[in-house]
Amino acid sequence: MTTVEANVSGPLTPEQQAEIDALRAESRATLRATVPELESILFEALPVLDHGFIRVVDYMGDDAAVVQAARVSYGRGTKRARDDQGLINYLMRNWHTSPFEMCEIKLHVKLPIFVARQWVRHRMANLNEYSARYSILDNEFYLPDREQLRAQSTENRQGRGDLIGDDEAARVLEVLREDALRAYAHYEELLNEGADGEPVDADRQGLARELARMNLSLNFYTQWYWKVDLHNLMHFLRLRADAHAQYEIRAYADVLAEQVLKRWVPMTASAFENYRLGAVQLSARGLEVVRRMLAGEQVAREGSGISPAEWRELMATFGRE
Ligand SMILES: Cc1cc2nc3c(=O)[nH]c(=O)nc-3n(C[C@H](O)[C@H](O)[C@H](O)COP(=O)(O)OP(=O)(O)OC[C@H]3O[C@@H](n4cnc5c(N)ncnc54)[C@H](O)[C@@H]3O)c2cc1C
C-alpha cells in the first residue's frame, strides 16, 4: 500500500504554485473596470488554518459599479470620492441592497469538510466542489492550534470556553492525528490504487472512490469554487465574521473581510464595517429601555418585557453590565 507523508505540506504544492505564477505572468487589456489592489493578489492563495486557503479567481465590478447601478448611469456614474462614499453609506444604512448585487466575485476555497458543511448553508451563491467520486482526496486534515483546544462553553451551548489543560490537549491532538492517519490509510487500502493508477494488490479490485471516501473524518480538506455577489458576500460575512460563528469558519470570513473585501471595494467595506459588522440591532422594547435610561430613569428588567438573555446583551452593548 502507498503511504503518503501526512499533513506536513503547506496549502499548495510546488506544481500548483507554478500554475498560479504562470497565470500571474500573463496580462490582458480590457475595457472593463479593474481594481489594482485586488489584481495584486489575484490567483494567489491566502492561507487559512493549517492547510486551507482562499484564492480570488475572478471578479466583476468595483465601488464605482455600485454607484453606477444606484444612479442607473450611462457612464461610470461616479462623482467626487466623498459623494460616492456618501451614496454607498446611504445605500448600506437604508438596506438598499440591489446595487451591491451588481458586483460578483469567484473564489477557490480549500477548507475542512466540517467548515464546508456550515459554509454550504449560504444558498445565495454558486458552488462547484472537488469530486471525490472522480478524484482521490489528499492526505490533508485540520488539526486545531493549541489556543483553540477549549472545553464546552458554560454560557453558550453552541461554543467553546476555557482552554483545556496541557495533558488533555496533547491527548486530543494525538487522537485527532492518529484517527485521521488511520482513516486515510484505510481509504488507500479500500481504493487499492497506487500513485501510478495501478492496483497496489493485483488480487483485489479496489472499492469505487465514491464509496471509499465515506470513512474519512470531517477534518479532511475539500475544495470548491464559490461565486457570490457582493450583497450576499456581505450577508455571509455578517454571520460568519461574527463572534458567534465557529472559530474555523470565522478564520475564512476574517480573511475575506480583511484581505479581499477591503482591497476589492474599499468604500463598500468601510460602510459595511460601520453599518453592519460594528452595528447593533435593538428591539423596540430595548430601544424604549435605552430612551428611558437616557432620560435619567433607573430602569429594571422586571416590567420591561425583556428576557434575561436579551437584557444581558442589551446592558453589555451599552457597557452597563
Ligand atoms: C452562529 C450561527 C449558528 C447556526 N446554527 C445552526 C444550527 O444549529 N443548525 C442549522 O441547521 N443551521 C445553523 N446555522 C445556519 C443558519 O440557520 C443559516 O442557514 C445560514 O447562516 C445561512 O443563512 P441564510 O439562509 O440567511 O443565507 P442564504 O442561504 O445565502 O440566504 C440569503 C437570504 O436569502 C433568503 N432565502 C434563501 N433561501 C430562502 C428560502 N428557501 N426561503 C426563503 N428565503 C430564502 C433569506 O432571506 C436569506 O437570509 C447557523 C448560522 C450561524 C451564523
Side-chain angles (χ1 to χ4, degrees):
M1 192 173 72
T2 53
T3 308
V4 180
E5 181 62 23
N7 223 33
V8 290
S9 63
L12 293 176
T13 63
E15 293 75 24
Q16 289 163 342
Q17 186 59 53
E19 283 188 52
I20 292 170
D21 293 344
L23 271 179
R24 286 190 57 81
E26 286 175 29
S27 68
R28 299 177 190 85
T30 177
L31 298 179
R32 292 166 42 210
T34 55
V35 182
E37 275 286 293
L38 193 59
E39 298 277 324
S40 73
I41 57 153
L42 199 61
F43 312 132
E44 293 283 11
L46 306 170
V48 193
L49 302 180
D50 51 359
H51 300 286
F53 60 68
I54 293 173
R55 298 172 55 227
V56 179
V57 176
D58 206 352
Y59 65 99
M60 179 176 79
D62 55 4
D63 277 325
V66 175
V67 170
Q68 183 189 38
R71 297 198 170 117
V72 193
S73 89
Y74 289 86
R76 291 282 281 152
T78 62
K79 295 187 175 168
R80 286 173 308 169
R82 194 151 49 91
D83 296 334
D84 288 352
Q85 181 72 70
L87 175 58
I88 287 174
N89 290 349
Y90 174 86
L91 298 172
M92 191 75 75
R93 200 166 63 244
N94 292 286
W95 297 89
H96 184 170
T97 52
S98 44
F100 299 107
E101 292 169 20
M102 300 299 150
C103 298
E104 297 234 339
I105 194 158
K106 186 162 69 183
L107 308 170
H108 176 186
V109 188
K110 184 173 163 193
L111 68 178
I113 293 167
F114 71 92
V115 176
R117 280 186 62 171
Q118 296 183 333
W119 193 309
V120 78
R121 300 301 307 281
H122 295 264
R123 294 156 291 180
M124 295 296 111
N126 306 96
L127 176 74
N128 192 67
E129 188 172 3
Y130 182 87
S131 173
R133 298 181 65 194
Y134 181 81
S135 310
I136 297 178
L137 286 166
D138 291 329
N139 190 6
E140 284 184 316
F141 48 87
Y142 169 63
L143 292 179
D145 282 344
R146 173 71 183 88
E147 174 61 15
Q148 293 307 325
L149 296 177
R150 293 170 177 273
Q152 181 63 37
S153 166
T154 49
E155 287 153 22
N156 174 1
R157 280 186 223 158
Q158 242 192 14
R160 60 193 81 167
D162 295 336
L163 274 181
I164 57 176
D166 285 340
D167 290 348
E168 194 174 356
R171 176 65 187 145
V172 166
L173 283 177
E174 191 178 63
V175 167
L176 290 174
R177 180 186 294 279
E178 279 178 7
D179 284 2
L181 287 174
R182 188 170 50 243
Y184 197 84
H186 283 155
Y187 175 60
E188 288 184 309
E189 184 184 335
L190 295 175
L191 290 169
N192 190 35
E193 187 176 328
D196 55 2
E198 294 300 317
V200 176
D201 175 352
D203 294 332
R204 287 197 294 119
Q205 287 175 290
L207 190 66
R209 292 170 185 182
E210 65 180 13
L211 282 170
R213 63 176 168 171
M214 72 175 141
N215 204 33
L216 292 174
S217 44
L218 293 181
N219 58 348
F220 273 87
Y221 276 85
T222 184
Q223 301 184 32
W224 58 37
Y225 266 43
W226 192 66
K227 181 168 72 68
V228 66
D229 67 47
L230 178 55
H231 165 64
N232 283 297
L233 175 65
M234 290 189 288
H235 180 64
F236 173 87
L237 294 179
R238 191 161 74 94
L239 294 171
R240 303 300 185 177
D242 184 88
H244 293 97
Q246 175 163 350
Y247 163 78
E248 282 77 13
I249 195 163
R250 194 152 27 98
Y252 285 85
D254 287 346
V255 166
L256 276 174
E258 287 301 315
Q259 300 188 47
V260 176
L261 193 73
K262 283 184 179 173
R263 280 191 168 96
W264 179 28
V265 282
M267 290 184 185
T268 302
S270 147
F272 174 64
E273 238 175 50
N274 190 28
Y275 295 106
R276 298 282 188 276
L277 276 189
V280 291
Q281 185 172 322
L282 288 186
S283 64
R285 288 178 187 148
L287 182 60
E288 182 56 27
V289 167
V290 174
R291 282 195 176 126
R292 287 166 59 195
M293 284 178 163
L294 284 175
E297 208 182 312
Q298 285 289 337
V299 189
R301 186 191 73 75
E302 292 73 19
S304 69
I306 293 180
S307 72
E310 187 184 339
W311 183 267
R312 269 197 306 278
E313 287 167 18
L314 184 66
M315 293 303 120
T317 299
F318 293 99
R320 292 282 197 102
E321 257 137 303

